[in-house]
């Protein structure tokens, strides 16, 4: 399940084509459109996971192997769901009382993780302000949505990557999340590439090291789910 980026101003930012790429690996790719302001964005993400699980037999999906792939702000939404799967319950979601919204595996690409690390009004392309629908949100509330602070031992395995010179979301966000996973004894693979701008998406065809992240992901998926993954071509 793919949550594209967009700074919580849109759900159609970086990461386009990922659902198709996932399908090319022999899995089922689902691109999730989500509203941008909390709690509607969280409700959309949680509902999407529940619907996939409910319709698993119809779509030939293993309901115990529902993974999420989040880019940038979409990575924040994906990891918000994985760390706090019952944070908010939409009263209109008729699946909420019997279908889990927590994914079984998490992949994060240059994710926004923290609403406190490196924060200032307008930071991260206004993602925090957009998320809440207003500027100057106090630190206590921002900590409630800082995912590095909410990892526990029930968290699913994580693959996370970013670049050291990302100028939009500091690499420290990914580092904090990876460290929190390690502390909670959650299986985690963290790839910090030296160079590459924010928003590279699949980065297929890039000559720099970051262009190999999808190959590393295929290997990691095969190890964790013991399935044969495709050759990486769309």
């Amino acid at each position: 399940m793919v949550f594209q980026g967009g700074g919580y101003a849109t759900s159609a930012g970086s990461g386009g084509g990922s659902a198709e790429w996932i399908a090319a690996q022999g899995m089922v790719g689902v691109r999730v459109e989500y509203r941008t302001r909390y709690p509607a964005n969280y409700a959309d993400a949680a509902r999407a996971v529940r619907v996939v699980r409910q319709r698993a037999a119809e779509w030939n999906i293993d309901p115990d192997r529902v993974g999420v792939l989040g880019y940038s702000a979409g990575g924040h939404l994906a990891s918000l769901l994985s760390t706090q799967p019952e944070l908010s319950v939409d009263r209109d979601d008729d699946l909420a009382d019997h279908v889990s919204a927590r994914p079984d595996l998490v992949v994060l690409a240059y994710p926004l993780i923290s609403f406190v690390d490196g924060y200032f009004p307008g930071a991260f392309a206004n993602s925090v302000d957009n998320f809440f629908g207003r500027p100057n949100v106090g630190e206590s509330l921002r900590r409630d949505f800082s995912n590095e602070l909410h990892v526990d031992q029930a968290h699913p395995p994580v693959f996370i990557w970013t670049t050291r010179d990302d100028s939009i979301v500091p690499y420290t966000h990914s580092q904090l999340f990876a460290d929190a996973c390690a502390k909670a004894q959650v299986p985690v693979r963290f790839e910090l590439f030296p160079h590459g701008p924010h928003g590279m998406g699949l980065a297929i065809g890039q000559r720099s090291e970051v262009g190999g992240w999808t190959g590393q992901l295929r290997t990691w998926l095969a190890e964790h789910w013991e399935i044969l993954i495709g050759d990486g071509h769309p």
Side-chain angles (χ1 to χ4, degrees):
M1 302 183 64
V2 179
F3 298 87
Q4 291 179 214
Y8 282 125
T10 176
S11 65
S14 66
S18 294
E20 293 82 0
W21 178 84
I22 289 167
Q25 314 310 307
M27 296 176 285
V28 176
V30 178
R31 185 175 72 85
V32 179
E33 294 183 3
Y34 56 90
R35 289 168 287 178
T36 55
R37 187 175 299 182
Y38 183 80
N41 47 21
Y42 184 91
D44 291 345
R47 174 70 178 179
V49 172
R50 293 186 180 115
V51 167
V52 166
R53 284 208 167 102
Q54 182 200 38
R55 304 186 69 174
E58 177 186 349
W59 293 345
N60 195 28
I61 293 171
D62 184 338
D64 296 321
R65 289 185 174 184
V66 177
V68 292
L69 165 56
Y71 294 88
S72 193
H76 178 265
L77 185 58
S79 54
L80 187 62
L81 198 61
S82 65
T83 53
Q84 301 186 75
E86 299 178 356
L87 176 63
S88 174
V89 177
D90 185 350
R91 64 183 181 181
D92 295 325
D93 187 349
D94 59 338
L95 301 176
D97 63 349
H98 61 281
V99 180
S100 175
R102 175 170 256 167
D104 302 300
L105 184 145
V106 180
V107 180
L108 303 172
Y110 44 88
L112 172 65
I113 290 292
S114 180
F115 281 4
V116 292
D117 179 55
Y119 171 79
F120 57 87
F124 324 130
N126 290 306
S127 295
V128 179
D129 301 348
N130 292 338
F131 179 87
F132 290 109
R134 58 189 174 91
N136 302 317
V137 174
E139 182 174 342
S140 178
L141 181 56
R142 287 186 282 107
R143 288 178 69 86
D144 290 342
F145 296 88
S146 293
N147 298 323
E148 78 279 14
L149 304 178
H150 301 283
V151 177
D152 60 25
Q153 291 184 330
H155 195 280
V158 175
F159 180 104
I160 183 169
W161 73 270
T162 189
T163 60
R164 186 174 291 275
D165 55 5
D166 188 322
S167 62
I168 302 297
V169 177
Y171 78 89
T172 52
H173 283 223
S174 295
Q175 183 72 68
L176 286 169
F177 196 72
D179 290 348
C181 288
K183 184 177 180 180
Q185 298 183 321
V186 173
V188 57
R189 176 166 176 176
F190 176 35
E191 294 291 341
L192 177 59
F193 298 104
H195 301 297
H198 189 80
M200 297 185 74
L202 290 169
I204 293 174
Q206 291 287 331
R207 294 182 179 179
S208 62
E209 293 179 38
V210 72
W213 84 266
T214 53
Q216 295 173 354
L217 174 61
R218 290 198 308 273
T219 300
W220 185 80
L221 287 171
E223 292 172 351
H224 278 273
W225 278 351
E226 297 180 352
I227 54 177
L228 181 64
I229 305 297
D231 63 5
H233 296 292

